[in-house]
Amino acid sequence: MSYDDSPTAGRFEGRAHLLPVRVYYEDTDFTGVVYHANYVRYFERGRSDFLRLAGIGHAQLLEIDPPLAFVVAEMKLHFIKPARIDDALVVRTTYDAVKGVRLLISQVIERDGEALCRADVTAVCIHLDGRPRRPTKALVEAVTPWLTND
């Protein structure tokens, strides 16, 4: 019998990337409710694993010449209901559009299909010195199958 102990990068369902996450004690405040800042961490994992599963992870972006990275330029959060200790959550991520140096991303954290927190994110591609730059052709091609057809 063989086992694969590799962490999962989630899966795609249509345009959306789904990443299961579990709420641990360390994620909560003293009442057992997820501390608000931890939603941002869950959303980051969703965006990163979307790219990893699409075939262009962060480590690969650092290996291209010149290297490319992302910064979050804007994030709007809407807290709907609390997540609690031991909850099984799903981070649902869609990359909606690439506009110049910007990637527009929609995310929601769900429990049993019910939205707990939503995020609208604008990420910007940058050079490692912080200057904005257009995403590479390979990056655009990697996310294009999941973009909206607006």
Side-chain angles (χ1 to χ4, degrees), residues 120-133:
D120 294 313
V121 182
T122 300
V124 175
C125 296
I126 62 167
H127 292 276
L128 295 186
D129 65 5
R131 291 178 297 123
R133 68 170 282 190

Side-chain angles (χ1 to χ4, degrees), residues 3-4 11 15-16 40 42 53 65 80 91 108 125 140:
Y3 294 98
D4 182 2
R11 64 183 173 85
R15 284 188 50 243
V40 175
Y42 299 152
L53 204 57
D65 187 25
I80 302 163
V91 181
V108 62
C125 296
V140 173

Side-chain angles (χ1 to χ4, degrees), residues 75-132:
M75 179 181 280
K76 180 180 176 184
L77 298 174
H78 179 73
F79 297 97
I80 302 163
K81 290 187 173 185
R84 300 184 185 282
I85 193 165
D86 289 332
D87 279 353
L89 308 176
V90 173
V91 181
R92 182 179 295 270
T93 303
T94 57
Y95 275 66
D96 299 323
V98 177
K99 294 186 176 185
V101 298
R102 297 176 299 139
L103 286 87
L104 306 180
I105 307 157
S106 299
Q107 296 185 277
V108 62
I109 294 174
E110 302 171 342
R111 180 183 53 226
D112 298 324
E114 181 178 27
L116 304 182
C117 186
R118 293 187 187 281
D120 294 313
V121 182
T122 300
V124 175
C125 296
I126 62 167
H127 292 276
L128 295 186
D129 65 5
R131 291 178 297 123

Side-chain angles (χ1 to χ4, degrees), residues 60-76:
Q60 291 168 288
L61 295 174
L62 292 175
E63 293 174 358
I64 62 175
D65 187 25
L68 176 135
F70 295 104
V71 294
V72 171
E74 184 176 63
M75 179 181 280
K76 180 180 176 184

